[in-house]
Amino acid sequence: MAELATIARPYAEAIFEAVQTKPAADALEQVSRALDALALVARDSQVRSLAGDPHLSIERLEELMLAAVPQPAGTAVRNMLRVVLENRRLAALPAIAEQFHRLKDAAQQRAEAVISSAFALDPAQIDELLPALERKFGCKLYPRVEIDPSLIGGIRVAVGDEVLDTSVRARLDSMRIALSA
């Protein structure tokens, strides 16, 4: 997958720069939604087989893909899709969307917080937890909650490459290490 990330980086940076020249902050969100939709379309096995069809023109494939996207794609997205298809990089579209999200988050000083919990968290608990996590990590966070029964209790929060682990599993592992030393 490192190869796809390497291929995707210039495309993501180019579309991010193209959108940055526009005055509306909504442009980032619109492009983000369009890239997510195109990434979903690109993952479809039928679309991948169409992309390999030598009898199907790039223009027709582009039309088909854009028709599958629920909202109209802007000029920047259309141009990027055309270049991706011309260079036969359809498989890189999901990685392009992912890297665009990282660039957008960095520009907005936001990050995704992956909150792992042994049990389901209700929205009130998440709302109570977020301000403390934002102070700890120093940026605006948007949560993604995952259930991981192996944690036994507590939570584990990952923001980028930083991890805050207050789970029972982490405490037990720490005690095990301390006792075996």
Side-chain angles (χ1 to χ4, degrees):
M1 285 302 175
E3 182 179 319
L4 277 182
T6 303
I7 291 168
R9 185 174 300 111
Y11 293 102
E13 289 172 352
I15 193 164
F16 183 76
E17 282 183 36
V19 176
Q20 286 295 317
T21 60
K22 302 202 187 288
D26 292 340
L28 281 175
E29 291 304 321
Q30 290 170 345
V31 169
S32 180
R33 285 191 298 274
L35 287 176
D36 285 343
L38 284 172
L40 189 62
V41 171
R43 286 185 180 106
D44 186 80
S45 61
Q46 291 177 336
V47 172
R48 287 195 311 267
S49 68
L50 280 175
D53 185 350
H55 301 293
L56 184 68
S57 71
I58 289 175
E59 292 80 15
R60 183 67 182 136
L61 180 58
E62 178 185 5
E63 288 173 20
L64 291 172
M65 289 184 70
L66 290 172
V69 175
Q71 70 273 358
T75 305
V77 173
R78 288 175 177 273
N79 291 342
M80 188 268 322
L81 179 60
R82 170 70 54 97
V83 172
V84 165
L85 293 176
E86 286 173 351
N87 292 320
R88 305 205 181 283
R89 302 291 192 192
L90 181 66
L93 259 175
I96 292 169
E98 183 180 319
Q99 290 197 21
F100 180 85
H101 286 294
R102 287 189 192 136
L103 292 168
K104 179 178 74 86
D105 286 347
Q108 296 174 338
Q109 296 181 339
R110 297 180 60 206
E112 178 182 49
V114 180
I115 303 171
S116 301
S117 173
F119 307 100
L121 298 173
D122 61 41
Q125 290 174 308
I126 296 168
D127 291 343
E128 184 179 319
L129 183 62
L130 271 180
L133 291 174
E134 288 174 348
R135 282 192 304 277
K136 166 82 175 132
F137 290 102
C139 63
K140 183 80 175 141
L141 299 174
Y142 55 95
R144 179 171 50 116
V145 179
E146 297 177 346
I147 306 300
D148 183 358
S150 72
L151 296 178
I152 303 170
I155 62 169
R156 180 180 186 273
V157 181
V159 177
D161 58 358
E162 292 183 68
V163 177
L164 172 66
D165 196 344
T166 63
S167 67
V168 172
R169 168 64 54 211
R171 290 179 189 165
L172 288 172
D173 288 344
S174 177
M175 282 194 270
R176 181 180 48 80
I177 291 168
L179 291 172
S180 65

